[in-house]
Amino acid sequence: MKVLIVGSGGREHAIATAVAKSPKVDKIYCAPGNAGIGQIAECVNIGAMEFDKLVAFAKENEIDLTVIGMDDPLVGGVVDAFENAGLRVFGPRKNAAILEGSKAFSKDLMKKYNIPTAGYENFNSPEEAKEYLENSKYPIVLKADGLALGKGVLICNTKEEAMAGVNELMLDKKFGDAGNTIVIEEFMTGREVSVLSYVDGKTIKIMTSAQDHKRAKDGDQGLNTGGMGTFSPSPFYTEEVDEFCKKYIYQATVDAMAAEGREFKGIIFFGLMLTEDGPKVLEYNARFGDPEAQVVLPRMKNDIVEVFEACIDGTLDQIDLQFEDNAAVCVVLASDGYPVSYEKGFEIKGLEQFDNKEGYYVFHAGTKLSDGKIVTNGGRVLGVTAKGADLKEARANAYEATKLIDFDNKYMRNDIGKAIDEA
Ligand code: AMP
Ligand code: GLY
């Protein structure tokens, strides 16, 4: 089989690594890919939003299966474009990817189908939003409706902050049209857990849990980032939590989408908060998490291509999804200054020490080839993942492995997985 993966980050490198293990696969392409992906796939210089070019490439090269890693093309309808051309593609259609693409939609869906989530109101007008904020309880949460690179969420401690937030999102349009509508939501507290799942329209199969670290600095300080590290499984995702979510959240979401005429096939990523009143949905994503994929996929036992095909064909009920009984930790190596401003173009040294190193992975995010050398090319540069018998061992292994890699301006958090000690 020939497989095309669309995307260019650590998540897509993790997907490509899993696809490469499938005995069914002869050749992998990735558009646009990066230097690490280029070691196991042929990178194709087509952007993830260039749907016509992607479809033409898939036709010309007789691609058997295309896997979409990123949210923007999914929300923009890339799956519809492939399907209309008679091509096999893994991911939700546009009318289902709205689960991630519009927070107002997903909140209304949860309300209509009694799926536990924070109380909220949606607003199209800044005046009405401000009127509502006059008599609200604080802290309160403001969310841009559309995609905003994971940065469209403002936690406001005071009325003044919230009013300024409305200006930022709706009037200054900091995230463009994503802020035409905003969700104003009750502030919740509790531990966060990421649960990814495969969905075939009717059946849902849950993957092992994970936890992300979104802030740039140790102790969850600093700005929000795309994710500075992950661990899997989450020790806080207990059997009791699992049972609750199976009863009230997972299947309920899939059934709700089907009932709305928006059959969901692909990945649903449940961003959960474990509150005192039980687990609640913080957000849905319509794709693998990044860097959740970097700790979840290395622990998956199944042939991922078989699972993708079962989702497309509606036969996921026949798949026995299995994960290794171990743990994994991913520490992101970033460029110092991320997520604000940083230099790039520095040579990365030590990568070869991971060749054939069992239980270790270096997933490339922002890298490129330059004069035959691999150099830094982004804020998040690499994700170093290590497995271990348990979380503590995996964490020790991952941090030890980060020492093997060196580049100018290398920056990482030193407390990825610290929460493990509190479990
Ligand atoms: P989201 O993109 O919706 O996952 O939001 C990004 C982050 O903001 C989450 O991972 C939480 O840390 C935080 N957050 C979102 N919604 C709430 C809420 N209702 N209460 C408290 N924190 C929240
Ligand atoms: N790690 C969070 C996300 O992928 O949205």
Side-chain angles (χ1 to χ4, degrees), residues 250-363:
Y250 303 144
Q251 190 69 48
T253 300
V254 175
D255 293 346
M257 289 298 281
E260 293 293 310
R262 298 173 182 274
E263 182 186 60
F264 193 104
K265 291 186 175 202
I267 305 289
I268 299 183
F269 166 147
F270 297 86
L272 303 174
M273 188 173 265
L274 310 180
T275 75
E276 275 191 348
D277 305 326
K280 294 191 181 178
V281 177
L282 275 175
E283 65 160 348
Y284 294 114
N285 295 312
R287 45 151 180 99
F288 285 102
D290 187 346
E292 281 87 346
Q294 290 90 312
V295 285
V296 168
L297 291 181
R299 299 184 52 230
M300 191 171 101
K301 291 186 185 173
N302 303 68
D303 178 339
I304 200 168
V305 173
E306 276 181 13
V307 182
F308 287 155
E309 296 208 288
C311 290
I312 296 171
D313 296 333
T315 56
L316 190 60
D317 57 330
Q318 290 165 35
I319 297 276
D320 179 19
L321 197 63
Q322 290 196 359
F323 288 83
E324 292 170 0
D325 185 20
N326 56 10
V329 170
C330 174
V331 178
V332 169
L333 304 186
S335 302
D336 198 11
Y338 172 72
V340 181
S341 66
Y342 46 84
E343 286 180 76
K344 49 192 189 182
F346 299 114
E347 184 179 355
I348 304 170
K349 298 196 186 112
L351 290 167
E352 71 290 343
Q353 295 176 78
F354 286 82
D355 293 346
N356 304 316
K357 195 170 160 70
E358 183 71 26
Y360 291 81
Y361 305 80
V362 187
F363 296 116

Side-chain angles (χ1 to χ4, degrees), residues 24 42-43 50 54 69 75 134 139 151 154 164 180 187 193 224 276 279 308 320 324 327 329 357 370 382 388 392 415:
K24 295 178 154 194
E42 184 176 330
C43 294
E50 297 182 290
L54 290 171
V75 170
E134 283 295 340
K151 301 189 178 100
L154 307 178
N180 288 352
F187 176 76
V193 185
N224 259 321
E276 275 191 348
F308 287 155
D320 179 19
E324 292 170 0
V329 170
K357 195 170 160 70
S370 170
L382 302 165
K392 285 189 176 164
D415 63 347

Side-chain angles (χ1 to χ4, degrees), residues 188-250:
M188 304 188 290
T189 52
R191 289 202 181 269
E192 289 184 42
V193 185
S194 302
V195 177
L196 315 188
S197 67
Y198 295 101
V199 182
D200 76 351
K202 324 177 278 290
T203 301
I204 176 164
K205 296 262 163 135
I206 300 305
M207 298 182 227
T208 182
S209 61
Q211 186 180 320
D212 189 7
H213 299 68
K214 289 197 169 101
R215 302 294 198 94
K217 303 215 165 109
D218 285 7
D220 290 326
Q221 303 294 311
L223 294 172
N224 259 321
T225 70
M228 294 300 294
T230 35
F231 59 84
S232 170
S234 164
F236 307 102
Y237 189 79
T238 58
E239 264 176 41
E240 191 188 354
V241 171
D242 185 58
E243 224 167 83
F244 180 95
C245 295
K246 284 189 170 134
K247 201 162 167 190
Y248 298 107
I249 296 177
Y250 303 144

Side-chain angles (χ1 to χ4, degrees), residues 131-147:
E131 201 180 305
Y132 178 82
L133 289 170
E134 283 295 340
N135 300 307
S136 296
K137 272 207 301 191
Y138 290 87
I140 204 161
V141 185
L142 269 48
K143 299 186 175 186
D145 174 50
L147 295 181

